Each structure stands twice: as C-alpha cells, then as structure tokens.
Amino acid sequence: MGHNHAVDEQAVDVDVVVVGAGFAGLYMLHKMREIGATARAFEQGGGVGGTWYWNRYPGARCDVESIDYTYSFSEELQREWRWTERYPTQPEILRYLNFVADKFDLRREIQLDTRVESATFDDASATWVVTTDRGDVVRSRFCVMATGCLSTPKRPGLEEAVVFEGPTYHTGLWPHEGVDFTGMRVGIIGTGSSAIQSIPQIAKQAAHLTVFQRTPNFSIPAQNGPIDHEREQWSDEHFAEFREIARQSGFGSSNLLNPESALAVTPEERNAEFERRWEIGGIAFLGSYMDLLFNEEANELAADFVRQKIRETVHDPEVAESLAPKSHPLGSKRLCVDIDYFETYNRPNVTLVDLTRTPIEEFTAHGIRTSATEHELDALIFATGFDAMTGTLLGIDIRGRDGLSLRDEWAEGPRTYLGIMVSGFPNLFTITGPGSPSVLSNMVISIEQHVDWLAALFIYMRANGLVTIDATDTAQDEWSQHVNDIANLTLFPRAKSWYVGANIPGKPRMFMPYVAGVAVYRQRCDDVATNDYAGFELARA
Ligand code: NA7
C-alpha cells in the first residue's frame, strides 16, 4: 500500500501483520487486499476459525442466532451460505469460516500452526518486528491483534488436579477426534456457558455425570429449531436494512429491545412479557424491559421469574434451590442460553454438587473429595473459562516505544483509547479490544466495524503521507474513565465475572467491555475519524 510513503518501503516485508485467523483475522485479510495493502496472518491453530476451531466440546454452539452471526460485508456470501438451525453449532460455524477462507482465497496469506511470541516496535524505522515460535521474523508497518476475547483457556486454582489419574479435558481445548464417555463416571467443574451447553449432551452418554457448581447461572432456553426460512428470506431480500438494524442496536443483533420500564407495568403485564420472551428464547430475554441492566428492582423481577422457572422445571426442590442464582443480578454475568439444561438434573444419572455447601477439599487419584464425600470419577472436564479479553494479548511479549511493555502498561488493568489502540504502542491495533463493546455485542458486527474503521484509517494515512498513529495519553485517560463511568451506571460491575477479571486469581479488577452499545460506539469512532482522528497523533516519517 505504501507507494507514497516517505520511508523506504523495502524496510518492511508486509504492510500489515495480522495475529489470528478467526472471524477478525479473516475479514482483516480480505479488507486489506481490497484496499491494496499486503498482509500476512499467523494462526496458532491447525486451521482457521479461532474460537470455533478450539471449542469443540459436545453441544458447543453460538448464543447469537445464525442469521445475525454472519459477516455482512458481502451480500453474495450471505446468499450463498445457508444455515440449518436457529443457533449455529460449532461444526457449522467452522464450516462457514472455512467456506469464507476459500471463497475469498485467504489461505495463501495465513501461516497455520504458528504462535506469535513477540511484537516489538522499532522506533527508528517506525515498523513492527513480529517473531513466532517457528522462527519467523517479519517486519511490518502495522500490527493487528485479531486474537479474540476468549482464547486463553484457564483452570484457575486447579493446578493440584494433576494427582487425578484419569483423563482431563478443558472445554476450550477439546480433542478434535471427540471423546466417548460411554460407561464412564464423568465430573465437570464449572457452570458457565460452556458447561451449560455440554452438560445435557454428556449426561446422555456418560454412565454418571457429577456437576461441581460454585456459582449457579441464569440461563434461558434457546428454543432452538430449524432455521426460520421466512425470516431468512426476509433478511436476504432486505439485506441492507436487516444489517443496519443490527448496527444501530445495542448488542448488535436484530433482536428488539422493549423501550418500557419493568416498573411501569402491572405484575400481570410483566409476567406476560417475560413469558413471551421466554418462549421466544435466548438472549432476547434481556430486552424484555429497558431497565433490566440498570435498575436493581427491575432486574430482581426478571431474576425472580427465571428462578421460578427453575423451581418448576427441576423436580428435587433442594437441587432446584442450589441451581437458582441469587448472588448476582440477571445478565451481570453472561446470560446463558441452553437446550434442556435444567431438565438434565431430573435424570437419575446426574448429580449436582453445590460447592458453596460442600467445597472441594482435594483432588485424589480417583476423583474429587469435597467436605462431604469422595466422588469417584473416570474422567474430569474443566469448563472453567478463559483469561478473558487481556489474557491472549498479554501472553505475547508486546513492546511499544522505548521498549515499553504492554504487560507493565496494563499491570493495573487494561487502558485503551476506543478499545482499539494503546498509547505508546504506535500502529498496533486491538480488534474488539478492552474498552470496546466486544463481548457485550454480536462479535461479528463489532469485528467488521473495527476492520472497516482501520481500512479507512490506512487509506487516510496513505493519502496524507502519514506513517505512524498513536493514541494520546489524554484521550486514553478520558476514554478509560468514560468506559468505567458508563459501566457504573449499570448492574454489570456487581458480579464477580470474567468481565471484571474476577475469574483469574490476582488479575486486576476492572470492567473491560464498553457497555453503551454498538450504535453509540460506532458513532463515536466515526466522529473521531471525521475530526481527523481526534485523540490520536499522526506523524510523517
Ligand atoms: P465462564 O463463563 O467463565 O464459566 C466458568 C465456570 O467455571 C464458572 O461457573 C466458574 O464459577 C467455574 N469455575 C472457575 N474456576 C473455578 C474453580 N476454581 N472452582 C470451581 N469452579 C470454578 O466460562 P465458559 O467457558 O463457560 O464461558 C465463557 C464464555 O464463552 C461465555 O460467556 C460465552 O460468551 C462464550 P464462578 O462463576 O467463577 O464461581
């Protein structure tokens, strides 16, 4: 791209190094080709797909609906690809991403099975030097972290589990050949989304399944089924309009938010609306009323409704009480979307261990000993989540100006400008980074928005003979404060969730996603661009 650059272009191998080949990396490569920039991607996995390459546990699917969880940059792609179910399964999403890689001929720029180890900014030449575990050393003008938000699996505090002699698995690192649990006594630790999706599937196969639960979670039935062809056809025929609804929404999908307060209606009306949303299924339940995530009283009404559903579903009242979440507001931890989760506890081969009553005392060679008893197990599954949002970035040795280390910069928690740049790290970009809507949105919408914004920036820099861009300290301070202020208007910070880093011992507590919604955020990013990238410092060679 840099034919107009003042700097000697021979100094760089490519214009852009992209780290990761999931939804973000793939679109980044496509977009760079479109604007005439050279790019090269490194991907740790043995195939494209990112999170959908690794998370192959039984029952894995997206909690955003198929027709929303797709790229919007190509109408042709939308028409060529058909989803089979309302919520896409992991194998189907992986097939989709492979289809995209082939259709747009992206593979020739992707080096698989390669982990980026370091990225270092060279002040003198204003270039990034990226190294990998395969010995690659690549110099580029820009470095784009398309590393995902939930890509570093964690087994927090469970290192002592090594004494267990049976096989162990992590949902986020599932064996590609699958696991046959037939006849086995299986234990699973955790009751987040991954566990809630896999428990019903594993229970159908295993001789016995024991679920070790620390915190019960709210979950809404997916009401999954075959794809609604009428809706699909509508979205095809109204492609632009359909996509615009998502872009102008809060969470980035076509689900509609009820503008009314839960407190402004009668109990009968409210119950009818909750019931209606429950029947629709999925995350749309959070949109029942506009104040569920802002007002404790409103939230408690919705939480009560869900707890009542759990009590009606689970036959054993003691188990039902253990499964009914009471320690955090509904939605303040990622709302789960399930298929027959609570029903599964009615099976004779499923046992719930409530760790708040009987904590784990130790792992043994043959299972887990709680304060009450020893549970003998043949296999153990960790559904213990990820070092979310920052774990993967900090797993790479990233050095900015004057050797400044990102690990040091973020020692007290991540600080960014717009969630896309970190002051002191010129020409380094974090797609869906902390401080952007990221995990509180349909990731595909947010990824496309960031990539499109970057493409426009690169064109602007080329047109103006600019070589570097860096966020100013002031802009970063203001943005970080703003992200925090907005979060504090909501109930999100009330939960000990991975949104605040609470699932990783020692991780600094800071609410990381930007909660104002994708429409507000997009406008803000567009305004910054229109105002000659206000808050950024751009420089010639
Ligand atoms: P989550 O949502 O982080 O869930 C992890 C679960 O593991 C959660 O129930 C944790 O309980 C539990 N956990 C973690 N550490 C321990 C220990 N040490 N002991 C007992 N239980 C533990 O990860 P998921 O993979 O399910 O989902 C991540 C996201 O991926 C999801 O939100 C979707 O967006 C997709 P805790 O609540 O911390 O008490």
Side-chain angles (χ1 to χ4, degrees):
M1 76 184 271
H3 316 292
N4 307 332
H5 283 166
V7 166
D8 175 12
E9 281 306 315
Q10 297 312 312
V12 297
D13 302 307
V14 281
D15 296 318
V16 190
V17 161
V18 179
V19 186
F23 263 102
L26 291 178
Y27 182 45
M28 190 70 203
L29 289 178
H30 173 68
K31 195 74 192 176
M32 290 304 98
R33 206 179 285 165
E34 201 175 270
I35 68 165
T38 57
R40 183 160 166 201
F42 294 107
E43 164 57 55
Q44 188 176 347
V48 302
T51 196
W52 301 108
Y53 175 85
W54 297 104
N55 284 269
R56 301 183 190 223
Y57 57 84
R61 41 172 105 228
C62 188
D63 53 9
V64 175
E65 292 184 49
S66 304
I67 62 170
D68 289 312
Y69 198 70
T70 55
Y71 289 117
S72 69
F73 68 83
S74 162
E75 190 166 350
E76 189 184 286
L77 169 64
Q78 162 145 343
R79 285 173 194 279
E80 282 177 7
W81 182 265
R82 295 292 84 163
W83 296 100
T84 59
E85 290 178 72
R86 179 176 171 192
Y87 294 91
T89 61
Q90 173 272 329
E92 197 166 34
I93 303 171
L94 192 56
R95 278 200 294 279
Y96 171 74
L97 289 171
N98 275 285
F99 178 79
V100 169
D102 290 331
K103 178 175 168 61
F104 297 100
D105 187 23
L106 303 174
R107 295 189 197 276
R108 57 190 161 96
E109 282 154 5
I110 305 168
Q111 185 173 322
L112 299 172
D113 292 310
T114 309
R115 203 191 120 72
V116 166
E117 289 188 325
S118 74
T120 310
F121 186 67
D122 173 26
D123 294 87
S125 62
T127 56
W128 280 90
V129 179
V130 172
T131 70
T132 77
D133 63 353
R134 301 267 293 249
D136 304 279
V137 180
V138 180
R139 195 177 280 270
S140 66
R141 176 68 61 211
F142 301 105
C143 184
V144 175
M145 294 293 163
T147 39
C149 296
L150 296 156
S151 41
T152 297
K154 275 285 160 178
R155 309 177 189 216
L158 299 169
E159 290 73 15
E160 57 270 32
V162 290
V163 299
F164 178 66
E165 285 173 358
T168 62
Y169 307 95
H170 189 289
T171 47
L173 293 170
W174 203 259
H176 288 195
E177 63 280 11
V179 184
D180 185 359
F181 291 116
T182 307
M184 294 175 108
R185 295 163 303 175
V186 180
I188 183 165
I189 299 179
T191 47
S193 288
S194 302
I196 282 178
Q197 290 184 338
S198 54
I199 284 167
Q201 300 301 320
I202 295 165
K204 282 186 212 160
Q205 192 181 51
H208 196 93
L209 179 64
T210 306
V211 179
F212 296 89
Q213 169 187 277
R214 185 164 70 181
T215 312
N217 259 318
F218 290 100
S219 188
I220 310 295
Q223 313 290 12
N224 187 43
I227 192 100
D228 174 347
H229 288 294
E230 252 170 63
R231 218 172 134 219
E232 185 182 43
Q233 197 182 336
W234 188 90
S235 73
D236 281 354
E237 284 164 7
H238 301 80
F239 180 76
E241 186 189 340
F242 173 71
R243 296 306 190 162
E244 199 52 25
I245 293 171
R247 289 188 194 115
Q248 296 308 328
S249 69
F251 293 117
S253 64
S254 49
N255 289 319
L256 293 178
L257 174 72
N258 180 352
E260 208 160 22
S261 159
L263 306 174
V265 296
T266 65
E268 291 72 29
E269 284 172 306
R270 198 163 46 227
N271 221 53
E273 179 63 10
F274 286 149
E275 199 64 61
R276 194 178 74 81
R277 295 269 176 169
W278 183 268
E279 287 309 318
I280 294 172
I283 294 178
F285 187 81
L286 270 179
S288 305
Y289 291 99
M290 61 73 151
D291 47 0
L292 295 191
L293 289 168
F294 298 94
N295 183 302
E296 226 163 329
E297 205 183 328
N299 190 285
E300 193 57 16
L301 293 165
D304 265 339
F305 177 88
V306 176
R307 284 189 288 258
Q308 196 47 39
K309 286 285 185 193
I310 296 171
R311 292 181 190 116
E312 286 165 19
T313 308
V314 179
H315 299 160
D316 181 328
E318 204 180 315
V319 175
E321 259 344 278
S322 284
L323 287 168
K326 296 169 197 99
S327 64
H328 62 280
L330 178 131
S332 62
K333 283 189 172 211
R334 176 89 172 193
L335 190 62
C336 299
V337 177
D338 71 275
I339 299 175
D340 293 338
Y341 175 63
F342 294 113
E343 289 82 348
T344 297
Y345 291 92
N346 295 331
R347 295 177 64 103
N349 70 331
V350 175
T351 307
L352 178 71
V353 176
D354 185 341
L355 297 177
T356 61
R357 292 188 201 176
T358 54
I360 294 177
E361 287 192 337
E362 60 170 349
F363 290 84
T364 65
H366 304 290
I368 291 180
R369 193 192 316 281
T370 66
S371 59
T373 185
E374 181 175 0
H375 298 270
E376 289 206 354
L377 305 168
D378 302 311
L380 182 56
I381 301 166
F382 291 90
T384 43
F386 303 86
D387 186 351
M389 306 198 67
T390 55
T392 307
L393 292 169
L394 297 179
I396 301 169
D397 187 11
I398 300 176
R399 308 266 167 173
R401 275 190 214 285
D402 306 320
L404 186 68
S405 146
L406 188 65
R407 289 173 188 156
D408 292 342
E409 272 303 285
W410 283 5
E412 317 263 282
R415 297 165 59 75
T416 66
Y417 181 37
L418 299 175
I420 200 165
M421 286 202 87
V422 185
S423 177
F425 297 78
N427 294 8
L428 177 90
F429 305 95
T430 52
I431 295 190
T432 66
S436 75
S438 58
V439 291
L440 288 184
S441 70
N442 171 359
M443 288 298 290
V444 187
I445 287 277
S446 290
I447 284 166
E448 288 188 322
Q449 185 245 334
H450 267 178
V451 171
D452 291 345
W453 191 88
L454 284 182
L457 168 69
F458 294 169
I459 290 169
Y460 174 90
M461 289 177 72
R462 180 163 57 186
N464 292 283
L466 299 161
V467 172
T468 59
I469 176 167
D470 194 1
T472 68
D473 280 336
T474 319
Q476 178 164 289
D477 287 347
E478 281 171 10
W479 183 254
S480 303
Q481 189 61 47
H482 174 62
V483 170
N484 193 55
D485 291 346
I486 298 274
N488 285 333
L489 297 175
T490 73
L491 302 176
F492 279 110
R494 306 276 178 98
K496 286 190 230 148
S497 67
W498 55 258
Y499 295 141
V500 296
N503 64 327
I504 304 295
K507 187 165 172 169
R509 297 284 174 96
M510 178 189 270
F511 191 82
M512 295 181 280
Y514 180 55
V515 294
V518 298
V520 171
Y521 176 75
R522 175 185 298 269
Q523 188 59 53
R524 179 71 182 249
C525 291
D526 288 352
D527 290 346
V528 164
T530 314
N531 288 305
D532 291 320
Y533 295 92
F536 292 103
E537 243 165 37
L538 292 104
R540 296 193 155 73

